[in-house]
C-alpha cells in the first residue's frame, strides 16, 4: 500500500473510523488534489462520518450545509442582518455622513450574516465543508453549488466578488434519492461506500461501543449480515448497529436471545412494518443460525457468517 494512503488509513482509524483502502485512497486524493469528494451509498453507511473524521484529523473546523428540498442560495450563502441595519440607520440619522457613506456602512461585513458556503471560503485556515445529502436539494441549487465549487468565489452585489483565501476541503454526500447531474459529478472525485463486511462491522462495533464484550460484538455483527439479506423498508446501517450494541450494553445483555432482541428492536428498525416482519418471520431462524455459529471457534470469517445466513435463509424460503 502507498505509504501516504496507509498514513491516511491510520489517521482515520485514530479518529475511530474503520476505513478500507478505497476510502483511504479517495480521502488522500481529495486532500492532495483539493478536489471535492462525492460520497454515495445507502443511508447509515458512514458517509457523513468521513467528513467529521477528516476535520478532526486535520484539526480543521467542520462547516456543515444540510441540504433539503427548497434550499436556496440565500440560505446557503449569506443574508443581511436587516434588524441591525435598521437600528444603525436610526442611530445615525442625525450624523453628518452622506447617504452614500451610510449605505456603505450598512452593507459591510459588520452587517453580513455568513451562511455555510460563504463561511467556508472566508476562513483563514481551510475548513472541511460538508454538503450533506446534496441529492435532497433542487436541481437549481445543484447548479448554483457547482458554480461556487468551481471557482470558490461568490459575488455579493453590494460588496463585490469574494474569493476564497484558502480552498476548503469539500465532502458531498448523497443517498441517491435523486440522480445528480453529470456536471457536478465531473467536478468531484467519487467514492461509493457499501454496507460493511462482517469483519469490518465487527471492528466498528468494538471501536464505537466501549465496554462491549467480544462475543456479543461478534453476534451483533453476524446478525446484521443476516438482516441485510432480507427485503426491508429501511435497511439498518452502521449507525443503527452501533446504537443497537449500546442499547444491549445498557440493558446488561452479554449475548443475543429472543428477549434481548425484542427489547431493543427500536434501536434497529425504524418502522412498525419492519419490526413486525422481523419478529414474526425471521427472528427465530436468525437466532438458531447464530446459536449454531457460536459452536464454532472465533474469530468467525465472512464465509462462516455468510454460510450461517444462507442456512437461516433456507428456513424461511
Amino acid at each position: 500500500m502507498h505509504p501516504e494512503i496507509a498514513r491516511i488509513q491510520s489517521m482515520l482509524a485514530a479518529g475511530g473510523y474503520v476505513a478500507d483502502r478505497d476510502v483511504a485512497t479517495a480521502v488522500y486524493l481529495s486532500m492532495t488534489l483539493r478536489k471535492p469528494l462525492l460520497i454515495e451509498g445507502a443511508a447509515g453507511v458512514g458517509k457523513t462520518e468521513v467528513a467529521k473524521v477528516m476535520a478532526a484529523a486535520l484539526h480543521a473546523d467542520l462547516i456543515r450545509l444540510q441540504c433539503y428540498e427548497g434550499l436556496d442560495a440565500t440560505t446557503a450563502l449569506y443574508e443581511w442582518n436587516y434588524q441591525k441595519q435598521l437600528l444603525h440607520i436610526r442611530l445615525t440619522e442625525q450624523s453628518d455622513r452622506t447617504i452614500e457613506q451610510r449605505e456603505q456602512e450598512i452593507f459591510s461585513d459588520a452587517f453580513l450574516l455568513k451562511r455555510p458556503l460563504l463561511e467556508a471560503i472566508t476562513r483563514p485556515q481551510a475548513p472541511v465543508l460538508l454538503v450533506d445529502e446534496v441529492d435532497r436539494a433542487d436541481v437549481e441549487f445543484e447548479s448554483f453549488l457547482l458554480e461556487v465549487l468551481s471557482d470558490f468565489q461568490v459575488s455579493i452585489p453590494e460588496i463585490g466578488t469574494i474569493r476564497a483565501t484558502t480552498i476548503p476541503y469539500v465532502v458531498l454526500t448523497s443517498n441517491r434519492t435523486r440522480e445528480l447531474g453529470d456536471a457536478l459529478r465531473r467536478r468531484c472525485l467519487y467514492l461509493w461506500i457499501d454496507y460493511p463486511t462482517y469483519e469490518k462491522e465487527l471492528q466498528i462495533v468494538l471501536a464505537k461501543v466501549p465496554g462491549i464484550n467480544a462475543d456479543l460484538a461478534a453476534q451483533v455483527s453476524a446478525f446484521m449480515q443476516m438482516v441485510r439479506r432480507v427485503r426491508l423498508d429501511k435497511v439498518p446501517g452502521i449507525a443503527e448497529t452501533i446504537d443497537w450494541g449500546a442499547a444491549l450494553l445498557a440493558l446488561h445483555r452479554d449475548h443475543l436471545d429472543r428477549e434481548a432482541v425484542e427489547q431493543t428492536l427500536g434501536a434497529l428498525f425504524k418502522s412498525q412494518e419492519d419490526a413486525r416482519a422481523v419478529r414474526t418471520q425471521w427472528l427465530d431462524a436468525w437466532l438458531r443460525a447464530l446459536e449454531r455459529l457460536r459452536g464454532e471457534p472465533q474469530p468467525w470469517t465472512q464465509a462462516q457468517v455468510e454460510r450461517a445466513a444462507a442456512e437461516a435463509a433456507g428456513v424461511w424460503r
Side-chain angles (χ1 to χ4, degrees), residues 58-257:
L58 294 167
H59 303 291
D61 291 333
L62 176 69
I63 298 176
R64 181 173 186 164
L65 173 62
Q66 180 63 51
C67 296
Y68 54 86
E69 188 177 353
L71 175 65
D72 59 19
T74 300
T75 308
L77 198 56
Y78 74 93
E79 290 179 274
W80 288 109
N81 189 334
Y82 294 118
Q83 290 184 329
K84 190 174 178 181
Q85 285 175 320
L86 284 172
L87 180 62
H88 183 79
I89 290 170
R90 288 174 184 168
L91 292 174
T92 57
E93 280 179 343
Q94 303 304 317
S95 74
D96 56 0
R97 296 185 182 90
T98 64
I99 293 177
E100 288 75 15
Q101 287 173 325
R102 291 166 64 186
E103 281 185 351
Q104 195 170 16
E105 284 176 356
I106 63 171
F107 290 113
S108 63
D109 279 352
F111 300 90
L112 190 63
L113 297 174
K114 295 179 182 178
R115 299 310 183 199
L117 293 181
L118 184 58
E119 185 70 46
I121 68 170
T122 54
R123 287 290 180 90
Q125 292 185 322
V128 174
L129 171 63
L130 168 62
V131 183
D132 211 9
E133 298 184 329
V134 65
D135 52 317
R136 294 188 182 278
D138 301 319
V139 174
E140 292 76 15
F141 182 80
E142 184 184 318
S143 300
F144 162 75
L145 186 64
L146 177 67
E147 184 180 344
V148 174
L149 296 182
S150 296
D151 301 326
F152 290 103
Q153 66 179 35
V154 297
S155 295
I156 299 177
E158 298 87 353
I159 294 179
T161 299
I162 297 178
R163 295 180 175 82
T165 50
T166 56
I167 303 298
Y169 303 96
V170 182
V171 175
L172 303 94
T173 72
S174 166
N175 294 333
R176 302 195 73 176
T177 58
R178 172 178 68 79
E179 188 64 28
L180 300 177
D182 290 342
L184 180 62
R185 290 181 179 277
R186 283 199 300 271
R187 296 294 194 287
C188 302
L189 299 176
Y190 181 77
L191 173 66
W192 170 264
I193 297 182
D194 210 341
Y195 289 114
T197 61
Y198 162 74
E199 287 94 344
K200 183 176 179 180
E201 192 148 27
L202 177 58
Q203 287 184 60
I204 294 170
V205 171
L206 290 171
K208 292 289 189 180
V209 187
I212 193 168
N213 71 59
D215 186 43
L216 178 59
Q219 292 177 61
V220 164
S221 303
F223 189 93
M224 295 306 295
Q225 299 292 314
M226 299 179 194
V227 168
R228 298 193 187 110
R229 292 171 68 100
V230 302
R231 186 183 298 276
L232 295 171
D233 183 37
K234 297 188 184 302
V235 179
I238 297 171
E240 283 75 25
T241 308
I242 295 169
D243 287 346
W244 191 36
L248 291 164
L249 203 59
L251 294 174
H252 305 290
R253 295 288 182 173
D254 59 5
H255 69 281
L256 294 184
D257 55 28

Side-chain angles (χ1 to χ4, degrees), residues 263-308:
Q263 275 185 321
T264 52
L265 279 178
L268 265 188
F269 304 105
K270 308 304 179 181
S271 77
Q272 184 184 9
E273 291 74 18
D274 285 348
R276 183 191 301 121
V278 167
R279 184 185 293 114
T280 59
Q281 297 181 44
W282 303 312
L283 183 54
D284 287 337
W286 290 342
L287 290 173
R288 283 195 294 272
L290 267 184
E291 194 58 36
R292 288 193 293 272
L293 198 55
R294 290 184 74 191
E296 302 178 23
Q298 291 197 30
W300 302 327
T301 64
Q302 177 74 27
Q304 284 175 285
V305 173
E306 285 183 359
R307 190 204 66 226

